[in-house]
Amino acid sequence: MTDQYALPAHLTENWIAQTRMLLDSFQQATGHALRTRSGNAVEEAERLFAAPFVVVAHGPEPDPILNYANRAGLQLWEMPADDFIRTPSRLTAEAQSATSARDSSRR
């Protein structure tokens, strides 16, 4: 059985680089570490990918395209990584709004 939310091998280098940028940016913006840093880029990428909270990012394009999600993010949006990184971020906001509205109506 294949894990649809596993990181495909061909994306590993990109995920490692993106993880480092995300961890550095978060630290710079907040003064706090998103995850404890080990100094080992592969280990840090694996830990962020396995984190129990959602981490997603998009690029600087005029219509930003998602370029990172950890396992929790992929599971939330029910997409494998190859599909996720081709998705405009505006589509995830719409999906999130629809989910919030649906969840609110259940209360």
XYZ file of all heavy atoms in Angstrom:
837
model
N 0.846 -1.185 0.000
C 0.000 0.000 0.000
C 0.890 1.247 0.000
O 1.785 1.387 0.823
C -0.905 -0.026 1.224
C -1.880 1.074 1.283
S -3.003 0.675 2.639
C -3.898 2.127 2.778
N 0.653 2.168 -0.897
C 1.438 3.379 -1.041
C 0.850 4.490 -0.167
O -0.356 4.689 -0.123
C 1.438 3.840 -2.511
O 1.947 2.781 -3.308
C 2.296 5.059 -2.690
N 1.717 5.208 0.502
C 1.307 6.344 1.321
C 1.204 7.565 0.406
O 2.215 8.108 -0.033
C 2.334 6.579 2.419
C 2.019 7.778 3.296
O 0.981 8.442 3.085
O 2.829 8.064 4.186
N -0.019 8.002 0.123
C -0.199 9.121 -0.814
C 0.338 10.444 -0.274
O 0.521 11.399 -1.020
C -1.658 9.267 -1.208
C -2.571 9.762 -0.106
C -3.983 9.998 -0.591
O -4.248 9.992 -1.782
N -4.900 10.190 0.336
N 0.603 10.511 1.023
C 1.117 11.746 1.606
C 2.620 11.684 1.893
O 3.170 12.596 2.495
C 0.346 12.101 2.879
C -1.133 12.208 2.621
C -2.037 11.363 3.250
C -1.632 13.124 1.708
C -3.393 11.455 2.987
C -2.990 13.215 1.434
C -3.857 12.375 2.084
O -5.201 12.458 1.829
N 3.267 10.628 1.451
C 4.724 10.534 1.594
C 5.368 11.506 0.606
O 4.805 11.813 -0.444
C 5.182 9.109 1.322
N 6.532 11.951 0.950
C 7.253 12.871 0.070
C 7.937 12.077 -1.037
O 8.740 11.204 -0.762
C 8.294 13.649 0.872
C 9.051 14.715 0.110
C 8.098 15.784 -0.415
C 10.100 15.330 1.005
N 7.608 12.381 -2.296
C 8.269 11.670 -3.403
C 9.773 11.964 -3.422
O 10.201 13.093 -3.158
C 7.601 12.240 -4.659
C 6.355 12.903 -4.184
C 6.610 13.324 -2.770
N 10.567 10.969 -3.742
C 12.029 11.104 -3.739
C 12.505 12.256 -4.618
O 13.452 12.964 -4.261
C 12.668 9.795 -4.180
N 11.836 12.487 -5.748
C 12.290 13.547 -6.647
C 12.065 14.956 -6.085
O 12.579 15.932 -6.624
C 11.650 13.413 -8.041
C 10.179 13.657 -8.062
N 9.256 12.679 -7.790
C 9.475 14.770 -8.328
C 8.038 13.179 -7.889
N 8.149 14.455 -8.208
N 11.343 15.076 -4.989
C 11.122 16.389 -4.373
C 11.979 16.616 -3.130
O 11.959 17.700 -2.552
C 9.649 16.552 -3.992
C 8.648 16.593 -5.135
C 7.227 16.684 -4.590
C 8.940 17.763 -6.057
N 12.737 15.618 -2.723
C 13.474 15.685 -1.464
C 14.416 16.886 -1.383
O 14.399 17.620 -0.397
C 14.260 14.378 -1.220
O 13.326 13.302 -1.202
C 15.001 14.416 0.098
N 15.222 17.109 -2.397
C 16.165 18.233 -2.345
C 15.447 19.566 -2.198
O 15.869 20.432 -1.436
C 17.052 18.250 -3.587
C 18.163 17.224 -3.535
C 19.140 17.375 -4.680
O 19.495 18.533 -5.001
O 19.537 16.348 -5.230
N 14.345 19.742 -2.940
C 13.570 20.972 -2.844
C 12.983 21.135 -1.446
O 12.982 22.237 -0.891
C 12.462 20.979 -3.898
C 11.660 22.260 -3.853
O 12.210 23.339 -3.914
N 10.356 22.124 -3.737
N 12.482 20.041 -0.868
C 11.872 20.113 0.467
C 12.913 20.473 1.511
O 12.630 21.226 2.439
C 11.190 18.790 0.810
C 9.708 18.890 0.910
C 8.981 18.720 2.042
C 8.759 19.160 -0.123
N 7.639 18.873 1.763
C 7.480 19.142 0.434
C 8.872 19.425 -1.485
C 6.326 19.368 -0.294
C 7.723 19.642 -2.220
C 6.474 19.617 -1.619
N 14.128 19.948 1.362
C 15.200 20.277 2.306
C 15.523 21.771 2.222
O 15.603 22.454 3.248
C 16.450 19.414 2.037
C 16.142 17.948 2.391
C 17.649 19.927 2.833
C 17.200 16.966 1.916
N 15.679 22.285 1.023
C 15.973 23.712 0.843
C 14.821 24.577 1.344
O 15.032 25.602 2.013
C 16.255 24.005 -0.632
N 13.605 24.179 1.042
C 12.432 24.949 1.470
C 12.301 24.924 2.993
O 11.958 25.933 3.603
C 11.168 24.377 0.808
C 9.961 25.244 0.962
C 10.055 26.552 0.186
O 10.928 26.771 -0.633
N 9.138 27.444 0.457
N 12.598 23.796 3.602
C 12.546 23.693 5.065
C 13.510 24.676 5.701
O 13.151 25.403 6.628
C 12.878 22.260 5.529
O 11.860 21.382 5.052
C 12.958 22.175 7.041
N 14.720 24.705 5.196
C 15.717 25.618 5.760
C 15.226 27.067 5.638
O 15.316 27.849 6.586
C 17.054 25.448 5.051
C 18.083 26.452 5.575
C 19.462 26.028 5.301
N 19.747 24.920 6.221
C 20.895 24.290 6.273
N 21.862 24.631 5.482
N 21.087 23.327 7.134
N 14.685 27.429 4.482
C 14.191 28.787 4.284
C 13.014 29.083 5.228
O 12.945 30.165 5.826
C 13.755 28.994 2.832
C 13.385 30.423 2.539
S 13.115 30.850 0.797
C 12.511 29.376 0.069
N 12.105 28.138 5.383
C 10.961 28.343 6.278
C 11.405 28.501 7.728
O 10.926 29.399 8.441
C 9.980 27.173 6.161
C 9.192 27.086 4.870
C 8.478 25.739 4.774
C 8.205 28.228 4.759
N 12.307 27.632 8.177
C 12.778 27.716 9.556
C 13.529 29.017 9.801
O 13.328 29.668 10.834
C 13.662 26.509 9.886
C 12.957 25.149 9.912
C 13.964 24.028 10.139
C 11.845 25.101 10.949
N 14.369 29.416 8.845
C 15.102 30.685 8.978
C 14.151 31.878 8.976
O 14.282 32.787 9.803
C 16.117 30.842 7.841
C 17.291 29.873 7.930
O 17.479 29.223 8.977
O 18.016 29.758 6.907
N 13.196 31.895 8.065
C 12.248 33.008 7.957
C 11.392 33.129 9.205
O 11.152 34.235 9.706
C 11.345 32.835 6.738
O 12.086 32.922 5.563
N 10.912 32.003 9.716
C 10.089 32.025 10.925
C 10.887 32.589 12.097
O 10.387 33.447 12.838
C 9.575 30.616 11.244
C 8.570 30.588 12.357
C 7.219 30.750 12.083
C 8.963 30.420 13.672
C 6.278 30.734 13.114
C 8.034 30.401 14.705
C 6.691 30.563 14.417
N 12.111 32.119 12.245
C 12.982 32.600 13.326
C 13.213 34.098 13.211
O 13.117 34.833 14.186
C 14.318 31.853 13.291
C 15.326 32.317 14.326
C 15.122 31.685 15.675
O 14.755 30.526 15.754
N 15.355 32.423 16.733
N 13.489 34.557 12.004
C 13.759 35.980 11.782
C 12.512 36.824 12.055
O 12.592 37.892 12.653
C 14.244 36.204 10.359
C 14.648 37.625 10.081
C 15.186 37.800 8.667
O 14.913 37.013 7.778
N 15.964 38.847 8.477
N 11.350 36.346 11.631
C 10.116 37.121 11.773
C 9.581 37.143 13.202
O 9.001 38.139 13.631
C 9.047 36.570 10.837
N 9.762 36.041 13.929
C 9.144 35.937 15.249
C 10.126 35.974 16.412
O 9.718 36.203 17.553
C 8.338 34.630 15.379
O 9.249 33.519 15.375
C 7.313 34.488 14.274
N 11.388 35.696 16.120
C 12.369 35.595 17.200
C 12.314 34.258 17.908
O 13.010 34.052 18.903
N 11.492 33.347 17.403
C 11.339 32.020 18.008
C 11.568 30.949 16.942
O 11.309 31.177 15.760
C 9.928 31.838 18.583
C 9.576 32.856 19.608
N 10.088 32.842 20.887
C 8.778 33.946 19.545
C 9.617 33.870 21.563
N 8.808 34.565 20.769
N 11.989 29.780 17.395
C 12.180 28.663 16.468
C 10.855 27.941 16.242
O 10.114 27.684 17.194
C 13.209 27.682 17.021
N 10.556 27.655 14.992
C 9.367 26.863 14.670
C 9.558 25.433 15.156
O 8.642 24.825 15.702
C 9.117 26.887 13.156
C 7.923 26.119 12.627
C 6.624 26.642 13.236
C 7.869 26.219 11.107
N 10.740 24.895 14.946
C 11.155 23.577 15.421
C 12.580 23.721 15.927
O 13.341 24.562 15.441
C 11.140 22.533 14.294
C 9.796 22.262 13.671
C 8.835 21.607 14.598
N 9.090 20.176 14.696
C 8.383 19.374 15.475
N 7.419 19.847 16.203
N 8.646 18.103 15.515
N 12.966 22.900 16.864
C 14.336 22.908 17.357
C 15.285 22.574 16.214
O 15.046 21.622 15.472
C 14.498 21.881 18.500
O 13.564 22.203 19.521
C 15.907 21.910 19.059
N 16.311 23.374 16.063
C 17.276 23.181 14.976
C 18.378 22.228 15.427
O 18.847 22.296 16.560
C 17.901 24.512 14.561
C 16.924 25.606 14.149
C 16.124 25.318 12.905
N 16.880 25.301 11.679
C 17.050 26.339 10.864
N 16.511 27.518 11.158
N 17.740 26.201 9.746
N 18.785 21.369 14.523
C 19.849 20.411 14.825
C 21.137 20.730 14.074
O 22.187 20.187 14.394
C 19.400 19.000 14.445
O 19.278 18.887 13.033
N 21.043 21.563 13.029
C 22.191 21.827 12.187
C 22.326 20.833 11.047
O 23.137 21.016 10.153
N 21.502 19.800 11.056
C 21.500 18.795 9.991
C 20.273 19.057 9.123
O 19.135 18.834 9.557
C 21.456 17.397 10.599
C 21.444 16.304 9.561
O 20.667 16.340 8.613
N 22.293 15.311 9.761
N 20.475 19.534 7.904
C 19.367 19.957 7.037
C 18.396 18.820 6.732
O 17.181 19.039 6.685
C 19.919 20.547 5.736
N 18.913 17.623 6.533
C 18.033 16.479 6.229
C 17.161 16.154 7.436
O 15.947 15.978 7.321
C 18.854 15.248 5.785
C 17.965 14.029 5.635
C 19.593 15.543 4.485
N 17.760 16.116 8.604
C 17.019 15.826 9.830
C 15.953 16.895 10.091
O 14.814 16.587 10.459
C 17.988 15.746 11.005
C 17.324 15.431 12.335
C 18.351 15.389 13.457
O 19.253 14.531 13.404
O 18.243 16.235 14.376
N 16.314 18.154 9.910
C 15.355 19.242 10.115
C 14.187 19.131 9.141
O 13.030 19.341 9.523
C 16.047 20.594 9.969
C 17.004 20.879 11.090
C 17.811 22.152 10.905
O 17.728 22.797 9.839
O 18.541 22.501 11.847
N 14.479 18.797 7.887
C 13.413 18.637 6.886
C 12.496 17.481 7.253
O 11.272 17.585 7.137
C 14.022 18.421 5.501
N 13.065 16.385 7.714
C 12.249 15.228 8.112
C 11.365 15.573 9.301
O 10.191 15.210 9.338
C 13.148 14.038 8.439
C 13.814 13.441 7.222
C 14.877 12.401 7.550
O 15.266 12.260 8.746
O 15.345 11.733 6.610
N 11.923 16.286 10.280
C 11.137 16.638 11.480
C 10.015 17.621 11.154
O 8.912 17.495 11.685
C 12.051 17.196 12.562
C 12.882 16.106 13.213
C 13.437 16.496 14.554
N 13.744 17.904 14.657
C 14.891 18.387 15.083
N 15.855 17.603 15.438
N 15.074 19.682 15.172
N 10.290 18.614 10.290
C 9.230 19.552 9.932
C 8.153 18.852 9.107
O 6.965 19.097 9.300
C 9.785 20.754 9.170
C 8.776 21.880 8.921
C 8.242 22.446 10.243
C 9.395 22.982 8.078
N 8.561 17.968 8.216
C 7.586 17.237 7.412
C 6.687 16.377 8.301
O 5.493 16.250 8.044
C 8.276 16.358 6.360
C 7.324 15.755 5.384
C 6.765 16.525 4.377
C 6.961 14.419 5.464
C 5.853 15.989 3.477
C 6.057 13.867 4.575
C 5.505 14.652 3.577
N 7.225 15.838 9.383
C 6.463 14.965 10.280
C 5.777 15.723 11.424
O 5.087 15.104 12.236
C 7.399 13.907 10.859
N 5.929 17.039 11.488
C 5.357 17.822 12.593
C 3.847 17.602 12.698
O 3.164 17.417 11.684
C 5.653 19.306 12.386
N 3.307 17.647 13.914
C 1.876 17.407 14.109
C 0.999 18.617 13.803
O -0.197 18.600 14.057
C 1.799 17.040 15.594
C 2.938 17.785 16.218
C 4.034 17.768 15.172
N 1.577 19.673 13.259
C 0.825 20.864 12.884
C 1.060 21.149 11.403
O 2.031 20.694 10.815
C 1.225 22.074 13.749
C 2.707 22.292 13.831
C 3.376 23.028 12.853
C 3.440 21.757 14.878
C 4.744 23.231 12.923
C 4.815 21.958 14.962
C 5.467 22.686 13.978
N 0.159 21.906 10.803
C 0.222 22.201 9.368
C 1.241 23.294 9.079
O 1.257 24.332 9.745
C -1.176 22.632 8.853
C -1.107 23.117 7.415
C -2.163 21.482 8.992
N 2.077 23.040 8.074
C 3.003 24.040 7.547
C 2.854 24.023 6.035
O 3.028 22.975 5.409
C 4.474 23.741 7.921
C 5.403 24.796 7.324
C 4.651 23.650 9.426
N 2.483 25.150 5.475
C 2.397 25.294 4.015
C 3.039 26.619 3.637
O 3.117 27.537 4.453
C 0.940 25.227 3.478
C 0.310 23.882 3.771
C 0.095 26.333 4.034
N 3.502 26.700 2.401
C 4.115 27.934 1.911
C 3.829 28.069 0.432
O 3.551 27.092 -0.257
C 5.622 27.902 2.161
N 3.916 29.314 -0.036
C 3.764 29.560 -1.466
C 4.840 30.521 -1.923
O 5.514 31.166 -1.121
C 2.365 30.083 -1.811
C 2.014 31.393 -1.184
N 2.552 32.598 -1.592
C 1.172 31.690 -0.177
C 2.039 33.581 -0.867
N 1.208 33.059 0.013
N 4.990 30.620 -3.229
C 6.009 31.475 -3.819
C 5.541 32.906 -3.992
O 4.410 33.262 -3.630
N 6.397 33.752 -4.583
C 6.114 35.177 -4.723
C 5.403 35.549 -6.028
O 5.291 36.726 -6.351
C 7.524 35.794 -4.698
C 8.367 34.752 -5.369
C 7.789 33.428 -4.920
N 4.913 34.581 -6.756
C 4.259 34.858 -8.040
C 3.054 35.785 -7.846
O 2.475 35.830 -6.757
C 3.770 33.548 -8.689
C 4.831 32.497 -8.906
C 5.032 31.581 -7.711
O 4.374 31.740 -6.669
O 5.902 30.691 -7.814
N 2.640 36.509 -8.892
C 1.437 37.348 -8.790
C 0.204 36.538 -8.340
O -0.616 37.042 -7.587
C 1.254 37.887 -10.206
C 2.628 37.874 -10.788
C 3.301 36.660 -10.188
N 0.088 35.326 -8.818
C -0.934 34.387 -8.350
C -0.146 33.247 -7.698
O 0.208 32.267 -8.352
C -1.773 33.872 -9.524
C -2.950 33.009 -9.088
O -3.251 32.953 -7.873
O -3.554 32.362 -9.964
N 0.185 33.391 -6.403
C 1.132 32.483 -5.761
C 0.760 31.000 -5.878
O -0.388 30.615 -5.685
C 1.115 32.925 -4.303
C 0.650 34.330 -4.345
C -0.327 34.384 -5.475
N 1.789 30.211 -6.175
C 1.655 28.760 -6.278
C 2.264 28.150 -5.018
O 3.353 28.541 -4.584
C 2.396 28.230 -7.529
C 1.886 28.911 -8.797
C 2.297 26.708 -7.631
C 0.440 28.679 -9.098
N 1.574 27.190 -4.444
C 2.094 26.508 -3.264
C 3.399 25.806 -3.615
O 3.530 25.229 -4.695
C 1.061 25.509 -2.747
C -0.229 26.170 -2.263
C -1.336 25.149 -2.118
C 0.010 26.902 -0.961
N 4.358 25.860 -2.708
C 5.638 25.211 -2.975
C 6.117 24.339 -1.822
O 7.195 23.764 -1.884
C 6.707 26.242 -3.354
C 6.928 27.283 -2.282
O 6.624 27.083 -1.126
N 7.465 28.419 -2.687
N 5.325 24.224 -0.761
C 5.701 23.369 0.364
C 4.460 23.019 1.177
O 3.596 23.869 1.402
C 6.699 24.070 1.306
C 7.068 23.198 2.485
C 8.144 22.332 2.407
C 6.313 23.199 3.645
C 8.464 21.491 3.465
C 6.618 22.366 4.708
C 7.696 21.518 4.614
O 7.999 20.684 5.652
N 4.418 21.802 1.631
C 3.467 21.366 2.659
C 4.105 20.221 3.399
O 4.768 19.375 2.807
C 2.140 20.921 2.059
N 3.906 20.196 4.697
C 4.344 19.026 5.435
C 3.218 17.985 5.374
O 2.166 18.206 4.759
C 4.748 19.382 6.869
C 3.607 19.863 7.735
O 2.516 20.160 7.255
N 3.865 19.961 9.026
N 3.450 16.832 5.978
C 2.462 15.748 5.906
C 1.091 16.206 6.423
O 0.067 15.908 5.822
C 2.932 14.529 6.691
C 1.926 13.374 6.666
C 2.392 12.192 7.482
N 3.594 11.600 6.957
C 3.623 10.710 5.971
N 2.514 10.319 5.411
N 4.769 10.218 5.552
N 1.066 16.952 7.522
C -0.208 17.418 8.075
C -0.945 18.309 7.076
O -2.171 18.236 6.948
C 0.018 18.155 9.392
N -0.216 19.138 6.337
C -0.829 19.985 5.317
C -1.359 19.179 4.150
O -2.464 19.424 3.656
N -0.577 18.221 3.699
C -1.027 17.364 2.594
C -2.277 16.591 2.997
O -3.216 16.447 2.206
C 0.091 16.405 2.174
C 1.352 17.060 1.607
C 2.421 16.008 1.379
C 1.057 17.838 0.338
N -2.306 16.114 4.223
C -3.482 15.376 4.702
C -4.694 16.293 4.830
O -5.811 15.906 4.482
C -3.172 14.706 6.043
C -2.210 13.552 5.902
C -1.746 13.000 7.233
O -1.644 13.719 8.230
N -1.443 11.717 7.245
N -4.477 17.508 5.320
C -5.589 18.450 5.472
C -6.253 18.733 4.133
O -7.476 18.741 4.023
C -5.099 19.753 6.108
C -6.162 20.846 6.272
C -7.226 20.410 7.271
C -5.493 22.137 6.729
N -5.425 18.986 3.108
C -5.984 19.299 1.796
C -6.172 18.058 0.924
O -6.604 18.170 -0.217
C -5.128 20.352 1.086
C -5.502 21.719 1.558
C -6.591 22.443 1.160
C -4.830 22.514 2.522
N -6.623 23.642 1.826
C -5.551 23.710 2.671
C -3.678 22.336 3.287
C -5.160 24.721 3.540
C -3.296 23.342 4.158
C -4.033 24.516 4.278
N -5.847 16.902 1.516
C -6.068 15.622 0.836
C -5.455 15.598 -0.564
O -6.105 15.233 -1.545
C -7.562 15.286 0.788
C -8.177 15.178 2.162
C -9.674 14.924 2.138
O -10.333 15.142 1.103
O -10.196 14.499 3.184
N -4.179 16.007 -0.635
C -3.456 16.049 -1.903
C -2.070 15.456 -1.741
O -1.401 15.736 -0.747
C -3.241 17.493 -2.360
C -4.397 18.188 -2.936
S -3.765 19.774 -3.578
C -5.242 20.728 -3.491
N -1.620 14.697 -2.722
C -0.208 14.301 -2.711
C 0.659 15.513 -3.044
O 0.184 16.491 -3.639
C -0.126 13.223 -3.796
C -1.309 13.453 -4.671
C -2.366 14.121 -3.826
N 1.919 15.448 -2.673
C 2.834 16.582 -2.844
C 2.918 17.051 -4.288
O 2.930 18.256 -4.553
C 4.221 16.219 -2.324
N 2.971 16.129 -5.240
C 3.086 16.532 -6.650
C 1.910 17.392 -7.104
O 2.083 18.304 -7.907
C 3.198 15.307 -7.563
C 4.592 14.707 -7.558
O 5.572 15.479 -7.529
O 4.706 13.477 -7.588
N 0.717 17.140 -6.607
C -0.452 17.954 -6.948
C -0.435 19.268 -6.164
O -0.761 20.333 -6.699
C -1.751 17.205 -6.648
C -1.958 16.010 -7.546
O -1.325 15.936 -8.628
O -2.745 15.123 -7.166
N -0.066 19.185 -4.896
C -0.087 20.354 -4.035
C 0.797 21.470 -4.580
O 0.398 22.632 -4.590
C 0.366 19.961 -2.620
C 0.040 20.984 -1.578
C -1.219 21.034 -1.011
C 0.986 21.897 -1.150
C -1.536 21.974 -0.047
C 0.688 22.840 -0.186
C -0.582 22.876 0.366
N 1.995 21.119 -5.052
C 2.942 22.153 -5.491
C 2.599 22.757 -6.844
O 3.311 23.621 -7.329
C 4.399 21.640 -5.487
C 4.586 20.494 -6.470
C 4.828 21.267 -4.084
C 6.034 20.092 -6.666
N 1.500 22.361 -7.432
C 1.011 22.985 -8.669
C -0.272 23.777 -8.414
O -0.904 24.254 -9.347
C 0.736 21.902 -9.722
C 1.974 21.205 -10.207
C 1.680 20.324 -11.402
N 0.599 19.374 -11.162
C 0.775 18.067 -10.965
N 1.969 17.554 -10.973
N -0.265 17.286 -10.773
N -0.647 23.908 -7.156
C -1.924 24.521 -6.789
C -1.748 25.991 -6.424
O -0.913 26.325 -5.586
C -2.533 23.772 -5.590
O -2.685 22.400 -5.939
C -3.870 24.355 -5.184
N -2.534 26.884 -7.032
C -2.516 28.283 -6.592
C -3.006 28.376 -5.143
O -3.995 27.721 -4.772
C -3.500 28.980 -7.536
C -3.594 28.073 -8.726
C -3.412 26.683 -8.188
N -2.340 29.147 -4.324
C -2.703 29.213 -2.906
C -4.117 29.741 -2.698
O -4.777 29.377 -1.725
C -1.696 30.041 -2.114
O -1.677 31.371 -2.543
N -4.619 30.557 -3.629
C -5.987 31.085 -3.479
C -7.014 29.952 -3.462
O -8.077 30.085 -2.857
C -6.293 32.091 -4.583
C -6.333 31.508 -5.965
C -6.598 32.548 -7.049
N -6.070 32.111 -8.305
C -6.624 31.158 -9.060
N -7.731 30.568 -8.680
N -6.071 30.808 -10.196
N -6.708 28.840 -4.108
C -7.655 27.715 -4.108
C -7.721 27.028 -2.754
O -8.753 26.486 -2.379
C -7.289 26.709 -5.200
C -7.384 27.235 -6.627
C -7.015 26.133 -7.619
C -8.757 27.799 -6.930
N -6.638 27.072 -1.997
C -6.671 26.447 -0.673
C -7.470 27.301 0.294
O -8.130 26.777 1.180
C -5.261 26.213 -0.108
O -4.597 27.462 0.034
C -4.463 25.286 -1.000
N -7.432 28.612 0.126
C -8.218 29.493 0.992
C -9.701 29.269 0.761
O -10.486 29.239 1.695
C -7.855 30.953 0.746
N -10.089 29.094 -0.495
C -11.495 28.836 -0.791
C -11.930 27.504 -0.194
O -12.997 27.397 0.378
C -11.734 28.848 -2.298
C -11.565 30.233 -2.887
C -11.536 30.231 -4.406
O -11.769 29.175 -5.017
O -11.270 31.293 -4.968
N -11.078 26.504 -0.304
C -11.408 25.200 0.265
C -11.514 25.293 1.778
O -12.400 24.719 2.388
C -10.359 24.167 -0.136
N -10.629 26.067 2.385
C -10.655 26.235 3.823
C -11.933 26.958 4.251
O -12.560 26.587 5.224
C -9.430 27.007 4.294
C -9.335 27.123 5.793
C -8.043 27.800 6.216
O -7.271 28.250 5.398
N -7.834 27.877 7.496
N -12.355 27.982 3.505
C -13.576 28.708 3.829
C -14.787 27.786 3.728
O -15.684 27.825 4.565
C -13.763 29.901 2.892
O -12.729 30.818 3.088
N -14.814 26.951 2.713
C -15.930 26.010 2.545
C -15.951 25.011 3.695
O -17.010 24.694 4.231
C -15.812 25.285 1.207
N -14.779 24.546 4.115
C -14.704 23.609 5.229
C -15.166 24.277 6.516
O -15.929 23.702 7.283
C -13.264 23.085 5.395
O -12.891 22.411 4.189
C -13.148 22.133 6.567
N -14.728 25.522 6.752
C -15.145 26.239 7.949
C -16.654 26.444 7.974
O -17.286 26.282 9.016
C -14.435 27.595 8.032
O -13.067 27.416 8.154
N -17.226 26.800 6.845
C -18.666 27.005 6.780
C -19.410 25.698 7.044
O -20.391 25.666 7.774
C -19.060 27.554 5.410
N -18.907 24.623 6.469
C -19.538 23.314 6.663
C -19.438 22.906 8.130
O -20.397 22.450 8.720
C -18.874 22.268 5.758
C -19.536 20.908 5.827
C -18.909 19.901 4.853
N -17.520 19.640 5.216
C -16.474 19.895 4.454
N -16.633 20.429 3.261
N -15.261 19.624 4.851
N -18.259 23.114 8.733
C -18.070 22.754 10.138
C -18.970 23.594 11.038
O -19.518 23.100 12.015
C -16.618 22.911 10.548
C -15.706 21.869 9.911
O -16.233 20.875 9.363
O -14.484 22.058 9.956
N -19.126 24.880 10.729
C -19.974 25.768 11.537
C -21.429 25.331 11.480
O -22.163 25.429 12.464
C -19.858 27.205 11.051
O -18.570 27.681 11.270
N -21.858 24.846 10.330
C -23.258 24.442 10.197
C -23.564 23.169 10.981
O -24.727 22.879 11.245
C -23.622 24.252 8.711
O -22.951 23.121 8.184
N -22.537 22.444 11.385
C -22.737 21.201 12.148
C -22.909 21.471 13.642
O -23.299 20.599 14.381
C -21.530 20.268 11.960
C -21.454 19.713 10.566
C -20.271 18.785 10.468
N -20.118 18.317 9.103
C -19.026 17.810 8.618
N -17.975 17.659 9.376
N -18.946 17.415 7.365
N -22.600 22.680 14.062
C -22.648 22.986 15.512
C -24.046 23.256 15.978
O -24.959 23.613 15.433
C -21.779 24.198 15.812
C -20.340 23.873 15.579
C -19.476 25.049 15.947
N -18.139 24.787 15.424
C -17.292 25.713 15.121
N -17.574 26.961 15.281
N -16.106 25.419 14.652
